[in-house]
Amino acid sequence: MSENQTTPAMPTTYDPKAAELKWYDFWMDGKFFEAGKRPEAKTYTIVIPPPNVTGILHIGHALDFTLQDILIRFKRMQGFDALWLPGTDHAGIATQTKVEQKLREQGQSRYDLGREAFLEQVWDWKEQYAGTIRGQWAKMGLSLDYSRERFTLDEGLSKAVREVFVQLYKKGLIYRGKKIINWDPAARTALSDIEVEHKELNGHLYHLQYPLKDGSGHITVATTRPETMLGDSAVAVHPEDERYQHLIGQMIVLPVIGREIPIIGDEYVDKEFGSGAVKITPAHDPNDFEVGLRHDLPQIIVMDESGKMNAEAGPYAGLDRFDCRKQLVKDLQEQGVCVQIEDHVHQVGHSERSGAVVEPYLSTQWFVEMKPLAEQAINAQKSGEGVNFVPDRFEKIYLQWIENVHDWCISRQLWWGHRIPAWYCDACGEMHVSDEDVTSCSSCGSTELRQDEDVLDTWFSSGLWPFSTLGWPEQTEDLKRFYPTNVLVTGYDIIFFWVSRMIFTALEFTDQKPFKDVLIHGLVRDANGNKMSKSLGNGVDPLEVIEQYGADAMRYMLSTGSTPGQDLRFRFEKVEQSRNFANKIWNASRFALMNLEGFTASDINITGKLGTADRWILHRLNETVREVTRLMDNYEFGETGRQLYNFIWDDLCDWYIEFAKLNLYGSDEEAKQATKSVLAYVLDRTQRLIHPFMPYISEEIWQHLPHEGETITLAAWPEYDAALEAPEAVKEMELLMDIIRSVRNVRAEVNVPMSKKIELMIKPTSEAEAIILTRNDEFVRRFCGTSKLEAGLALAAPDKAMSSIVTGAELYFPLAGLIDISQEIARLEKELATLNGEVTRIEKKLGNEGFVAKAPAKVIEEERSKMKDYADKRDKVQARIADLRG
């Protein structure tokens, strides 16, 4: 687009809904977010943490995605070939659970439909909710490259999953075996360790007496899960426990069942804990499983996959595991075997998805041997070649987990997901693992093969996300150009689930870390600090927030409301403050545009004859550009927001625009044109700085401003310019602002409104301040509301007047008849006490040898300068009190 002239028809108030609808369509139609259009530029890549296609996005997603959008917009404006790749996750058990729940409401199950028909229903669900998620992304204003959108079950990612599975299998790092795993009886599937949530529950500890076979006595054990005793294969004691050494090798008769089991000696037993004897149930406890292997004990499974007791449970067959517990305890009490039941608080594993109590369960599953993969990731991290965690404290959490990692159970007894690429030949029993479908047995030639029924853990495919989305295992142009990615933005709650798996798979299959940085943010909590949940009814729908306040207000509040790694409390009053900030920007821009009619981008000239306020605001803009850029590069969005807020609200709106009015409404045409140039320039740069946070309002305003280019999304990010430094203008403005603030404070104290003109006398500290006051006489008269203004080095304080001390000048207010002299003395004495306190505080700090030894020289010098300033003011206040008492 050619140079744009200002459009004066800027609405009185900002309408977020109209702007959001208009500009997102505009961005999409222009394909401004598609990467690859700057082949000579450096790349900057973010792959979105793919939301699950289980429902709508929540406010935590809004925080996560907003931070990514801020970064990608920032880097795109800096000239990078910026790719933000969108996508969604099939979410295995979570999505299947949702669809099964829907079927149950219709009186059906997945088994009624069969696998293929059921999967058709899940694909329909996926299409519906993926579309919903896209709509939410649009409402949030996310600058995603939809031309590269991926799904964890699409054809390309399926190919990557098979490639990884087969390669790991060939290396011996994927194996099929019988182990104790976490079993979800509700979803009827295995879970990995990190899919189990441990909750502290009030339970019971049951003390059971098992009789010795020879009738000579009994041995006491304790358990929190008495129903598992039906699968006991032994009782273990420590081999060095003198109480039980003579019993090792003897047999016990298992109550109710009557099965004879041995007493064994094993160092696993803690002889100091409880009775020093423990029941061993190899099929229902991971530690017992290992003991059972050492002693070649039978592995007796006493319940089925739904959590009901099976035939091995004898008289309790068919009962739910918890009903069995009640009945069994009752029977054991009647038999005199259950001798004590005590209250016991313990950690109980629950399925993250279904909420069911997880059962340790002996099952044949597929596993990844994690140690070799983990070692590679650990070595990379400790050698300094690993990823950079922000904040860095999360590196320790990551390393602690990966250093103690167990083998990963990757098979799931589901239908929705990546089906395990293993085929079994029923004719000869051979198993074939292949990245292509196997149709005939290479051993016997039979075509009667069946594929493994299980699917892979969702995290297996999402662990490949940073490189599989870019085309791996094919060496695509996108993979060559945009991988490794630059930053992953995610919550601290999935470091183990996802971040760690992406790192070790990337190192194994691409020989590169998947991203340079991992930016960790906290959770979004309610206003009281509680975790949001459906059960508490305290969740926040981001679309409702957008409907009420606009996307920009929500984005600004979320992104600037906390520091990296910290939880954020969601408060609607904070969103309202953000909306007020947006309105402040709108009103300031609207005022400026009313005075820029006919002004074009080529008319902007900030090198001409500029006044003090003009040079000061350019200096402050320059400082803000430098700081905001630095803070953005360091992911310090909260501090970035503070810098932008202070500059826009205070410097630009409250000060510069007020000062600018004098020139805009004055008769000096040269000064008027200079101020117009500065206004246009500063507002343009301000919109660019705020754009990553507030994309809609910044685009709307920018399109009204004199500008060049099609869209602010592609406008160049402002850069620090040494030529705009104006320290002398800053000194002048600080004096003027101090005087104006001081006059307004004095007016407020004695209740003299601005509409009432006052006499003001200013005694500058030196010739330099006197020159400043002379040069800016008009500003002082206008903003202090004076009927008479005197300024000079030789001024003497008048009798019966109020006074105020600022850095560089003393102010006198001949207000006889308007104030009480005793009240003025009391006010000055209070000010004197404050100044004395500041002087004493800094004296103590500078007298602290530890501070002086450690603090940088610049900091020490600043403290000394402050103390001198406070001391000078104190001396002047003391002198003024003495004059009034006179």
Side-chain angles (χ1 to χ4, degrees):
M1 185 180 291
S2 60
E3 180 184 293
N4 242 18
Q5 186 167 309
T6 303
T7 305
M10 195 168 169
T12 306
T13 57
Y14 175 59
D15 181 358
K17 291 178 185 176
E20 288 164 15
L21 182 64
K22 173 176 66 177
W23 292 120
Y24 204 78
D25 286 346
F26 171 72
W27 294 332
M28 290 295 101
D29 292 342
K31 299 182 178 181
F32 301 131
F33 305 147
E34 289 188 11
K37 296 178 180 178
R38 297 170 171 172
E40 304 305 316
K42 289 182 180 178
T43 60
Y44 188 88
T45 313
I46 300 176
V47 290
I48 202 167
N52 296 342
V53 287
T54 48
I56 61 173
L57 303 178
H58 52 67
I59 199 70
H61 287 114
L63 167 62
D64 192 62
F65 298 153
T66 296
L67 296 181
Q68 293 169 67
D69 195 38
I70 287 169
L71 288 169
I72 212 75
R73 286 181 183 271
F74 168 52
K75 291 300 178 181
R76 190 182 290 120
M77 294 175 77
Q78 282 191 317
F80 286 83
D81 189 3
L83 167 61
W84 188 15
L85 190 148
T88 46
D89 196 322
H90 68 281
I93 188 171
T95 306
Q96 179 158 321
T97 301
K98 291 279 188 181
V99 178
E100 288 196 85
Q101 183 180 341
K102 179 183 168 186
L103 287 174
R104 276 196 299 274
E105 292 167 0
Q106 299 168 357
Q108 291 181 300
S109 76
R110 60 169 155 148
Y111 302 103
D112 296 327
L113 272 66
R115 189 165 191 147
E116 287 189 18
F118 174 75
L119 289 178
E120 285 178 12
Q121 293 230 3
V122 189
W123 276 106
D124 289 343
W125 173 284
K126 176 264 174 185
E127 289 303 320
Q128 177 187 345
Y129 282 95
T132 299
I133 287 167
R134 283 188 210 103
Q136 290 181 295
W137 283 340
K139 285 283 187 183
M140 294 177 197
L142 306 185
S143 60
L144 294 155
D145 183 350
Y146 289 101
S147 71
R148 289 173 166 85
E149 184 177 356
R150 302 305 298 268
F151 177 55
T152 51
L153 271 177
D154 69 27
E155 186 179 346
L157 270 70
S158 295
K159 183 176 182 180
V161 166
R162 280 200 176 185
E163 179 75 18
V164 167
F165 187 97
V166 171
Q167 284 195 35
L168 290 178
Y169 178 78
K170 287 179 177 177
K171 289 181 179 181
L173 296 178
I174 280 183
Y175 62 93
R176 190 167 184 256
K178 200 171 186 181
K179 283 188 174 186
I180 292 282
I181 46 88
N182 303 297
W183 185 263
D184 181 340
R188 300 193 188 189
T189 182
L191 303 172
S192 66
D193 290 344
I194 54 179
E195 290 173 300
V196 179
E197 293 179 321
H198 291 276
K199 300 178 183 178
E200 192 173 85
L201 297 181
N202 293 319
H204 297 93
L205 190 62
Y206 303 87
H207 296 263
L208 311 177
Q209 289 182 344
Y210 288 6
L212 297 169
K213 179 186 177 183
D214 63 9
S216 62
H218 61 262
I219 193 164
T220 302
V221 298
T223 181
T224 58
R225 299 158 64 220
E227 66 279 7
T228 64
M229 68 166 283
L230 303 172
D232 284 359
S233 296
V235 168
V237 298
H238 196 282
E240 296 176 3
D241 192 332
E242 295 177 357
R243 294 171 295 174
Y244 300 120
Q245 281 179 328
H246 66 288
L247 294 178
I248 294 173
Q250 292 197 35
M251 302 299 285
I252 290 170
V253 179
L254 192 64
V256 179
I257 298 296
R259 184 169 62 247
E260 293 183 10
I261 59 175
I263 297 174
I264 61 173
D266 196 284
E267 292 183 352
Y268 156 70
V269 181
D270 181 355
K271 59 184 178 181
E272 305 300 326
F273 182 76
S275 67
V278 295
K279 57 191 285 301
I280 301 298
T281 320
H284 292 277
D285 181 277
N287 294 315
D288 293 3
F289 176 75
E290 297 297 332
V291 174
L293 291 179
R294 287 196 290 272
H295 296 269
D296 197 25
L297 298 174
Q299 299 166 339
I300 304 167
I301 300 173
V302 297
M303 62 183 74
D304 65 18
E305 294 175 350
S306 68
K308 288 185 177 180
M309 308 310 289
N310 62 20
E312 293 285 358
Y316 307 101
L319 287 179
D320 174 79
R321 54 186 167 153
F322 298 119
D323 292 334
C324 171
R325 179 181 297 178
K326 292 175 186 176
Q327 186 60 49
L328 176 60
V329 169
K330 183 180 176 183
D331 294 346
L332 292 172
Q333 285 177 311
E334 288 177 357
Q335 293 178 22
V337 173
C338 183
V339 294
Q340 183 185 358
I341 302 174
E342 59 179 307
D343 292 338
H344 180 66
V345 178
H346 60 142
Q347 296 285 331
V348 178
H350 290 71
S351 169
E352 184 201 26
R353 294 301 179 187
S354 72
V357 173
V358 167
E359 196 66 41
Y361 195 69
L362 183 62
S363 179
T364 299
Q365 302 287 343
W366 289 88
F367 298 88
V368 174
E369 185 183 343
M370 288 298 302
K371 288 294 182 186
L373 298 170
E375 282 174 15
Q376 192 176 179
I378 293 164
N379 292 338
Q381 206 65 31
K382 291 188 173 180
S383 68
E385 297 298 316
V387 300
N388 175 42
F389 282 85
V390 181
D392 59 7
R393 68 177 183 273
F394 287 102
E395 181 183 32
K396 293 179 183 176
I397 296 171
Y398 160 72
L399 278 173
Q400 186 176 23
W401 180 79
I402 205 166
E403 285 173 344
N404 296 282
V405 72
H406 299 120
D407 282 5
W408 173 18
C409 177
I410 56 172
S411 45
R412 299 290 180 269
Q413 288 63 54
L414 305 170
W415 289 352
W416 174 244
H418 291 279
R419 199 161 168 182
I420 288 175
W423 286 261
Y424 306 100
C425 177
D426 289 331
C428 69
E430 189 72 21
M431 181 180 74
H432 305 272
V433 171
S434 171
D435 54 5
E436 300 290 341
D437 288 358
V438 180
T439 56
S440 63
C441 178
S442 58
S443 295
C444 70
S446 172
T447 56
E448 299 297 316
L449 285 93
R450 55 187 173 83
Q451 188 175 356
D452 197 304
E453 292 289 321
D454 292 351
V455 299
L456 289 163
D457 179 8
T458 305
W459 300 102
F460 192 94
S461 53
S462 56
L464 317 180
W465 188 251
F467 52 94
S468 63
T469 50
L470 293 169
W472 189 94
E474 304 300 328
Q475 289 302 305
T476 63
E477 289 305 312
D478 273 4
L479 184 67
K480 293 173 188 174
R481 180 152 176 76
F482 295 106
Y483 183 82
T485 68
N486 291 78
V487 61
L488 174 78
V489 181
T490 190
Y492 58 65
D493 53 332
I494 58 171
I495 291 175
F496 308 144
F497 284 96
W498 192 42
V499 177
S500 58
R501 286 170 174 161
M502 284 190 286
I503 293 171
F504 68 69
T505 53
L507 291 173
E508 175 70 18
F509 292 99
T510 71
D511 294 322
Q512 297 180 85
K513 57 188 177 185
F515 24 74
K516 177 179 174 285
D517 296 336
V518 180
L519 173 60
I520 302 291
H521 59 74
L523 305 178
V524 182
R525 298 183 178 272
D526 70 11
N528 297 315
N530 299 313
K531 190 174 180 179
M532 292 183 179
S533 69
K534 287 182 181 178
S535 60
L536 292 175
N538 62 348
V540 174
D541 182 348
L543 294 195
E544 290 180 7
V545 180
I546 291 170
E547 177 70 20
Q548 187 173 356
Y549 297 98
D552 288 337
M554 182 190 74
R555 289 168 59 108
Y556 190 80
M557 179 269 173
L558 289 172
S559 57
T560 63
S562 72
T563 55
Q566 298 298 313
D567 289 345
L568 178 149
R569 293 192 181 193
F570 187 93
R571 294 185 174 93
F572 280 99
E573 58 267 30
K574 293 285 187 183
V575 187
E576 195 164 338
Q577 289 171 13
S578 295
R579 182 184 62 184
N580 293 343
F581 181 41
N583 288 337
K584 184 85 168 180
I585 298 169
W586 180 265
N587 292 333
S589 303
R590 185 170 172 273
F591 161 79
L593 285 161
M594 288 166 59
N595 292 279
L596 291 173
E597 188 170 352
F599 207 75
T600 66
S602 61
D603 293 326
I604 298 174
N605 176 18
I606 58 169
T607 61
K609 183 182 177 183
L610 303 179
T612 299
D614 298 325
R615 287 179 288 116
W616 169 76
I617 196 65
L618 289 171
H619 176 100
R620 282 291 300 120
L621 170 68
N622 206 34
E623 284 186 322
T624 304
V625 165
R626 181 181 59 200
E627 277 303 288
V628 164
T629 304
R630 180 185 67 81
L631 292 165
M632 293 274 275
D633 279 330
N634 290 321
Y635 308 117
E636 295 180 38
F637 302 116
E639 182 60 18
T640 300
R642 192 183 71 82
Q643 292 277 346
L644 288 170
Y645 186 94
N646 289 346
F647 172 74
I648 295 170
W649 194 292
D650 297 339
D651 297 341
L652 178 58
C653 298
D654 286 357
W655 287 106
Y656 179 70
I657 285 180
E658 291 305 310
F659 275 56
K661 288 176 182 177
L662 291 180
N663 285 339
L664 293 173
Y665 301 155
S667 57
D668 186 333
E669 197 58 37
E670 188 179 4
K672 184 182 294 186
Q673 288 302 111
T675 296
K676 283 184 178 183
S677 285
V678 171
L679 256 184
Y681 180 86
V682 172
L683 278 171
D684 171 271
R685 268 51 182 184
T686 300
Q687 301 318 308
R688 299 185 198 208
L689 291 175
I690 204 73
H691 174 72
F693 295 86
M694 295 181 165
Y696 289 118
I697 194 170
S698 56
E699 181 77 87
E700 180 74 26
I701 292 171
W702 190 81
Q703 292 287 354
H704 281 83
L705 288 169
H707 70 273
E708 292 179 337
E710 274 188 286
T711 171
I712 195 172
T713 64
L714 301 180
W717 182 258
E719 293 184 0
Y720 172 80
D721 182 357
L724 296 181
E725 288 294 304
E728 74 292 343
V730 173
K731 184 178 179 182
E732 288 190 28
M733 278 296 290
E734 284 177 351
L735 176 60
L736 296 174
M737 290 188 295
D738 281 350
I739 290 171
I740 293 164
R741 287 191 199 100
S742 186
V743 170
R744 289 175 178 175
N745 288 339
V746 169
R747 280 178 173 276
E749 281 188 50
V750 296
N751 199 25
V752 176
M754 282 299 294
S755 57
K756 183 179 178 67
K757 300 292 184 182
I758 62 168
E759 290 185 32
L760 175 62
M761 302 171 69
I762 304 176
K763 182 179 181 180
T765 302
S766 70
E767 186 64 35
E769 283 82 11
I771 293 170
I772 292 171
L773 290 170
T774 301
R775 187 159 53 226
N776 296 282
D777 173 88
E778 188 179 2
F779 287 129
V780 178
R781 292 180 185 277
R782 167 69 178 80
F783 294 108
C784 292
T786 61
S787 57
K788 180 181 178 183
L789 174 65
E790 288 184 70
L793 290 165
L795 275 179
D799 292 336
K800 297 183 179 180
M802 287 188 74
S803 67
S804 181
I805 311 298
V806 298
T807 302
E810 294 179 55
L811 314 181
Y812 306 119
F813 307 86
L815 298 174
L818 296 179
I819 66 163
D820 184 297
I821 297 298
S822 61
Q823 285 183 353
E824 171 62 359
I825 291 173
R827 184 187 72 80
L828 288 171
E829 285 178 335
K830 186 186 284 188
E831 187 177 343
L832 180 63
T834 300
L835 291 167
N836 275 328
E838 289 298 322
V839 170
T840 302
R841 179 183 64 81
I842 297 176
E843 281 178 339
K844 285 181 180 178
K845 184 184 280 190
L846 292 173
N848 182 330
E849 291 181 5
F851 171 76
V852 173
K854 294 178 182 177
K858 183 181 177 183
V859 172
I860 295 171
E861 189 54 41
E862 285 173 355
E863 290 297 319
R864 285 178 177 148
S865 177
K866 276 192 228 173
M867 187 172 74
K868 182 180 183 304
D869 188 42
Y870 285 133
D872 289 345
K873 289 177 180 176
R874 176 190 63 185
D875 295 344
K876 289 170 183 174
V877 169
Q878 284 176 327
R880 188 65 192 134
I881 292 171
D883 287 345
L884 288 172
R885 284 176 172 160

